[in-house]
Amino acid sequence: MRFAFTDDQLLFRDAVADLLAKECPPDVVRGAWDDETGRRPELWAALAEMGVVGLTVPEAHGGFGLSELDLLPILTETGRFAFPGPLLETTAVAAPLLAENASADIAQRWLPGIASGEVVATVALAGQPFVPDAQLAHVLIAQRDDRLVAVATDRLRLTPETSVDGARRLSRADWDVADEALIIDGEPGWRAANRAFDRGAVAASAQLLGLAEHLLAVTVEYVAARKQFGVPIGTFQAVKHHLADCELKLSFARPLVARAAYSLAHDLPTIERDTSAAKAMASDAAAFVARQALQCHGAIAYTVEYDVHMWLKRIWALTAAWGDAAWHRRRVAHLLLDD
Amino acid sequence: MDLNFTDAEEAFRAEARAWLEANVPHGLPSGDTREGFDLHVEWEKKLFDARWSVVSWPEEYGGRGATLWEWLIFEEEYYRAGAPQRVTQNGIFLLAPTIFEFGTDAQKSRFLPAMAAADDLWCQGWSEPDAGSDLAGIKSRAVRDDAAGGWRISGQKTWTTRGAFCNWLFGLFRTDPEAERHKGMTYLMVPLDADGVTVRGVGRLDGDEGFAEVFFDDVFVADDLVLGEVDQGWGVAMATTSSERGLTLRSPGRFCAAADRLVDLWKRRSALAASGDPAAVAAGDPALREDVAQSWIDAEAYRLATLADVTGIVEGRPQGARSSLTKIFWSELDVRLHETALALLGPSAELVDDSPSAVDGGAWMKGYQFSLSGPIYAGTNEIQRNVVAERVLGLPRK
């Protein structure tokens, strides 16, 4: 028994965090709100260069062939820096889905490009109708009932949707059936789609943890410095208790998220239950931290000049995506209570 | 990351499970009542005879030298088997770790085996009428008696759990009244049958008698009953309270077992509702279904957090002030588990004891009342939140 990440996993995470600290400061996130594609290709290339984008791509296709557990701490860092870009869709969901289910032709068409950073993938599963970054992706992995298909994005008709998070570029995607390449269907198709959904939910949970940890850290810094009534507001017990509760909720969401990644990596029969426990708890914790961070900052956090709002909005987006807390609690209830 | 136990650990689990299944008593009265206490002590003597009472202790003191992982496995099996909370827990889980850390060899051999065997029964003397969570505010005094080679103590302790049934008390006494608040206190072990001790039982919210007030009128305590250094009791006591908030007292087995019982209760109430019994209609409430699921998720989170904590301790990363997070979480989880059960019971929730229609003997209301003590004792949760803010997050004290 050892419930902790390995030294290698943490070293890799630290290296990614260093890169993001340098290449993805808040003004880059802000830039993702404003410029036309909303993305910096050189940042994606730098992550690919490190092996992050291709982390889950099998070695035979040029990736690292690593697991959900190896990816998890990195996803948390991309959350912490509010990294803009479909790493979740490409690396956490699309790559393993293709690796496990696609024919040699389809796998060879997309996976080496994902590993090298030249191909960006995104996904549209049932229940996930709003596709992130379809405007810059090369391939969409989509679910139609029991069918999972790959469609080159130049064959898509995109209808833009507007997320509360300006750095999330969402669309609805439509295409002609003739343009699809079938990956898998039937009963195995359902299973593959469910597994992909669980991977997305766990990855979103990991990002929510990082987003919330960042917000808590900047709030702690703020209340220690900000004075009212002649003393730092961080000396007030009401403020202390808000922030202690943030740490409390994060501390007990973290192990559930790690456990869900473990279940995915080891293909355990409890994947659905563990995923839903993790996403319910991570969503609730992050939403709570967002709420308290705003409250403890006061009016400054209510302005768009101040960076905090970008983290708040990413949290609101990701708590809604990949099943919200209530949806996942209902799934846990179903698995526990209906037999 | 590896969430599997070794073959040896699984063998340990199987041995514990088999013994507990064959021996756990069911339907004991509360250990916080006079008659119940004696029956619980009898059960714990049986545990000791089979060497299950203090599995993690060295064999010379009655243990099995079990690892922290094996201890955790044992706790899980203990509660899964439906075994009752330990009435010796204050000694075994709070005093013993302190004796292991600060005690002399003589103190170890005098107190540890007798504690493990449930011959010495310990209560803790922290709170006083004017000092609860503000432990540094205690006033009970111990005055030096050089001629007799010891200390003479006077004062009062209160809210002493099972104090009326125990024969020993450990606690802090002020030995240097001139010193600053956190200094000048000494950790003493006091025999409750000594001259000058008066114990008075106080009834509790949940109907049990277990609370006591303990009065000391010039009670003599010999030098060999000082634990740690004279005037250094604060540091000794802090080691104890950290055990209390941390994992030694509140092993996850108890909450996982309670969450499983809640799931079982939901299924039974749901079956009743399906058969048309109007008293069980609450089981059909979708919000309550979610509450049951959330309670189960919380218990699982607590179990997993404990696995992470134990990993850290085994690898030399102790919990420190993070034990305050643990204390807040389990105590509030315990309350929520019971609130959810009471909501499921609807009108039956108020029935207790041998009331003919009480579900599970009224255990959920009784457990609810007991759970409400969790956020109060071992330092209130308000105090714990201050600790988290200041010592985990680094917020300014003043």
Side-chain angles (χ1 to χ4, degrees), chain A residues 1-6 69 216 220 223-224 232 234-235 237 240-241 243-245 247-248 251-252 254-256 258-259 262 266 273-274 277 280-281 284 326 329-330 332-334 336-339, chain B residues 1-5 9 69 263 266-267 289-290 292-294 296-298 300-305 307-308 311 315 317 322 325-326 328-329 332 382 385-386 388-390 392-393 395-398:
Chain A
M1 173 70 68
R2 184 178 185 278
F3 191 41
F5 291 103
T6 65
L69 271 172
L216 178 56
V220 164
V223 301
T235 61
Q237 185 158 279
K240 284 183 177 168
H241 288 189
L243 298 184
D245 281 334
E247 182 61 36
L248 182 71
S251 293
F252 287 88
R254 267 182 219 117
L256 285 170
R259 161 72 208 225
Y262 178 89
H266 292 85
R273 189 195 72 191
D274 297 338
M281 227 33 183
D284 279 348
R329 258 195 303 276
R330 284 196 294 273
V332 173
H334 171 65
L336 282 179
L337 303 177
D338 305 334
D339 52 14
Chain B
M1 198 172 287
D2 173 13
L3 299 192
N4 297 306
F5 288 109
E9 286 162 345
W69 292 121
V263 166
W266 187 90
K267 289 180 178 172
R289 254 175 82 93
E290 272 194 53
V292 172
Q294 187 61 50
W296 185 90
I297 291 170
D298 287 341
E300 176 73 355
Y302 186 65
R303 185 180 75 83
L304 292 167
L307 297 182
T311 300
E315 296 181 355
R317 298 184 302 273
R322 299 193 66 84
L325 288 163
T326 310
I328 301 168
F329 194 83
E332 296 183 353
E382 286 75 14
R385 284 182 162 87
N386 291 348
V388 170
E390 290 165 12
V392 176
L393 297 176
L395 289 182
R397 226 167 260 261
K398 286 250 163 62

Side-chain angles (χ1 to χ4, degrees), chain A:
Chain A
M1 173 70 68
R2 184 178 185 278
F3 191 41
F5 291 103
T6 65
D7 289 346
D8 283 349
Q9 285 163 340
L10 297 179
L11 279 172
F12 197 21
R13 174 202 67 183
D14 291 347
V16 174
D18 287 346
L19 176 84
L20 291 171
K22 221 177 299 162
E23 306 295 336
C24 188
D27 66 295
V28 166
V29 183
R30 195 173 281 280
W33 282 60
D34 303 330
D35 71 42
E36 200 181 320
T37 65
R39 296 294 172 261
R40 290 210 180 164
E42 66 276 17
L43 182 49
W44 188 264
L47 284 173
E49 175 73 17
M50 280 187 88
V52 169
V53 178
L55 191 137
T56 56
V57 173
E59 287 177 278
H61 293 291
F64 280 6
L66 294 176
S67 79
E68 288 85 353
L69 271 172
D70 303 298
L71 182 60
L72 194 76
I74 290 164
L75 287 164
T76 301
E77 292 313 305
T78 60
R80 189 183 318 281
F81 289 91
F83 167 78
L87 191 71
L88 186 161
E89 289 75 15
T90 300
T91 308
V93 181
L97 188 153
L98 288 169
E100 285 170 8
N101 302 290
S103 66
D105 281 358
I106 296 178
Q108 188 55 37
R109 176 158 183 212
W110 301 114
L111 285 174
I114 290 175
S116 67
E118 286 152 71
V119 166
V120 175
T122 190
V123 288
L125 299 175
Q128 283 300 106
F130 311 118
V131 189
D133 285 330
Q135 80 289 352
L136 56 80
H138 303 87
V139 59
L140 173 76
I141 311 295
Q143 179 185 2
R144 289 264 165 107
D145 298 323
D146 67 349
R147 294 163 61 82
L148 281 167
V149 299
V151 189
T153 47
D154 57 8
R155 311 300 301 166
L156 297 176
R157 293 183 295 275
L158 297 180
T159 311
E161 298 276 1
T162 308
S163 170
V164 62
D165 175 2
R168 259 168 81 84
R169 300 300 169 99
L170 301 181
S171 312
R172 277 179 296 122
D174 201 5
W175 62 89
D176 291 326
V177 174
D179 296 323
E180 297 175 353
L182 178 69
I183 299 169
I184 192 169
D185 65 356
E187 181 60 28
W190 283 119
R191 275 204 301 277
N194 289 343
R195 175 64 54 94
F197 177 82
D198 286 331
R199 285 189 170 121
V202 173
S205 302
Q207 292 190 328
L208 282 165
L209 289 179
L211 287 155
E213 285 168 6
H214 170 82
L215 272 185
L216 178 56
V218 297
T219 307
V220 164
E221 224 171 279
Y222 182 82
V223 301
R226 169 74 172 158
K227 287 189 176 172
Q228 294 274 270
F229 308 103
V231 292
I233 61 173
T235 61
F236 300 143
Q237 185 158 279
V239 172
K240 284 183 177 168
H241 288 189
H242 284 329
L243 298 184
D245 281 334
C246 291
E247 182 61 36
L248 182 71
K249 287 178 190 296
L250 289 174
S251 293
F252 287 88
R254 267 182 219 117
L256 285 170
V257 178
R259 161 72 208 225
Y262 178 89
S263 299
L264 280 168
H266 292 85
D267 196 19
L268 299 184
T270 54
I271 284 174
E272 292 190 2
R273 189 195 72 191
D274 297 338
T275 295
S276 284
K279 181 62 163 65
M281 227 33 183
S283 295
D284 279 348
F288 181 84
V289 173
R291 178 81 183 74
Q292 300 306 336
L294 180 53
Q295 181 69 20
C296 293
H297 273 87
I300 186 71
Y302 207 76
T303 68
V304 293
E305 280 81 12
Y306 202 68
D307 290 337
V308 158
H309 83 100
M310 297 189 291
W311 273 258
L312 300 176
K313 288 167 181 170
R314 183 70 55 82
I315 284 174
W316 297 334
L318 288 181
T319 51
W322 299 99
D324 65 11
W327 188 91
H328 282 286
R329 258 195 303 276
R330 284 196 294 273
R331 190 159 76 148
V332 173
H334 171 65
L335 294 166
L336 282 179
L337 303 177
D338 305 334
D339 52 14

Side-chain angles (χ1 to χ4, degrees), chain B residues 373-391:
Chain B
S373 67
I376 297 171
Y377 73 74
T380 64
N381 284 10
E382 286 75 14
I383 296 288
Q384 305 305 331
R385 284 182 162 87
N386 291 348
V387 171
V388 170
E390 290 165 12
R391 293 178 52 204

Side-chain angles (χ1 to χ4, degrees), chain B residues 27-246:
Chain B
L28 288 188
S30 163
D32 290 353
T33 60
R34 180 71 258 176
E35 53 147 353
F37 185 81
D38 295 339
L39 292 169
H40 280 254
V41 168
E42 205 175 291
W43 151 240
E44 296 203 30
K45 283 182 181 295
K46 196 169 177 183
L47 261 183
F48 174 76
D49 290 339
R51 285 198 313 122
W52 291 113
S53 100
V54 286
V55 294
S56 61
W57 293 13
E59 294 191 17
E60 58 177 311
Y61 301 126
R64 292 175 177 245
T67 64
L68 208 44
W69 292 121
E70 288 168 334
W71 173 78
L72 206 60
I73 289 168
F74 177 75
E75 292 285 302
E76 215 170 277
E77 293 301 322
Y78 186 85
Y79 287 106
R80 179 177 289 156
Q85 280 207 70
R86 307 280 296 271
V87 296
T88 53
Q89 65 187 14
N90 281 339
I92 288 171
F93 295 144
L94 302 181
L95 175 60
T98 318
I99 291 182
F100 276 115
E101 189 174 346
F102 296 93
T104 62
D105 287 345
Q107 287 173 331
K108 285 178 191 164
S109 36
R110 174 173 174 190
F111 291 118
L112 293 173
M115 188 191 300
D119 289 334
D120 286 352
L121 299 159
W122 290 85
C123 59
Q124 59 173 339
W126 291 150
S127 297
E128 297 188 1
D130 291 321
S133 287
D134 179 18
L135 185 56
I138 61 153
K139 295 198 181 78
S140 289
R141 290 192 302 138
V143 178
R144 184 72 205 153
D145 183 341
D146 275 327
W151 300 83
R152 296 203 167 269
I153 60 178
S154 303
Q156 181 189 352
K157 298 288 179 182
T158 192
W159 320 136
T160 309
T161 297
R162 291 180 287 273
F165 319 135
C166 291
N167 53 357
W168 282 90
L169 171 144
F170 59 92
L172 283 183
F173 295 84
R174 203 162 278 289
T175 37
D176 180 359
E178 306 300 316
E180 287 173 54
R181 269 163 49 90
H182 292 81
K183 297 177 180 162
M185 286 183 273
T186 300
Y187 195 119
L188 296 176
M189 299 181 281
V190 187
L192 289 179
D193 56 4
D195 287 344
V197 175
T198 309
V199 178
R200 191 181 78 84
V202 180
R204 297 195 323 196
L205 176 74
D206 62 6
D208 288 352
E209 315 139 33
F211 265 171
E213 293 178 297
V214 186
F215 300 89
F216 306 93
D217 181 13
D218 204 33
V219 176
F220 179 72
V221 177
D223 278 332
D224 58 5
L225 297 176
V226 174
L227 189 53
E229 302 290 316
V230 170
D231 290 344
Q232 303 300 314
W234 181 259
V236 181
M238 284 306 103
T240 305
T241 55
S242 169
S243 303
E244 182 175 33
R245 287 168 201 156

